[in-house]
Amino acid sequence: MQDDWTLSGPVFGLNGQVSVIGWIGRFSNRSKIYLTECSICKSDPELYGSGRFTTYKASLVKGSIPCGCSTIPKWSQYQYSILCTRMLKTYSYHFIGWSGDFIGRMTKVAMLCDQHGQTCNLTVESIVSGRVSCPGCHAEAVSK
């Protein structure tokens, strides 16, 4: 559905990448829930699907965008598995799976090092922050 605000074509984000498409309902019969689309996130359908997200007008006006471009994105378990797989691949490691229950950024990730054939565990936070190494690689670097 459209209203005066959506028809005005508001855009948000540092690059104007988040467009308001329309509103799709109300939360508890009060605040409108708006449908947005991010042109950046839309280009990565594996991670973001259609690149469409819901949010409130107040959040957008305050500078909070609802997509992966946010300063604090809210990732799902599925999205974290994709992020970990991608990051580990850049370091020649393989994502095996979760080592225990999934609890967000502090979840332990089982990974395999191509060079040593060794498995080890790191947290999701370490991996997505780029702090990745296996004990065999670390021991090798220290001994040199």
Side-chain angles (χ1 to χ4, degrees):
M1 296 180 274
Q2 299 293 318
D3 60 16
D4 290 341
W5 188 60
T6 60
L7 290 172
S8 71
V11 293
F12 299 90
L14 292 176
N15 301 308
Q17 73 272 24
V18 179
S19 303
V20 179
I21 297 172
W23 67 279
I24 59 171
R26 291 184 183 271
F27 178 75
S28 299
N29 291 329
R30 298 181 78 198
S31 301
K32 288 181 182 177
I33 301 169
Y34 286 91
L35 182 64
T36 63
E37 182 175 84
C38 176
S39 60
I40 294 172
C41 293
K42 184 179 177 179
S43 68
D44 189 348
E46 180 186 24
L47 195 56
Y48 302 110
S50 66
R52 292 184 173 187
F53 306 89
T54 57
T55 191
Y56 300 101
K57 180 179 181 178
S59 296
L60 289 167
V61 172
K62 289 178 185 174
S64 176
I65 56 176
C67 62
C69 298
S70 170
T71 54
I72 306 172
K74 293 171 179 61
W75 304 108
S76 69
Q77 181 174 345
Y78 171 75
Q79 288 172 311
Y80 271 129
S81 70
I82 292 170
L83 292 169
C84 287
T85 299
R86 289 177 180 178
M87 183 60 83
L88 289 172
K89 194 178 291 185
T90 66
Y91 292 96
S92 298
Y93 301 123
H94 294 282
F95 175 80
I96 298 172
W98 309 124
S99 183
D101 293 334
F102 181 82
I103 54 171
R105 292 182 68 86
M106 298 314 292
T107 302
K108 294 282 187 179
V109 174
M111 62 180 226
L112 172 69
C113 175
D114 281 347
Q115 186 175 354
H116 299 98
Q118 189 171 0
T119 60
C120 61
N121 295 321
L122 292 176
T123 62
V124 168
E125 183 172 336
S126 295
I127 294 168
V128 297
S129 299
R131 297 186 313 266
V132 180
S133 68
C134 83
C137 293
H138 180 69
E140 188 175 281
V142 171
S143 67
K144 287 184 179 179

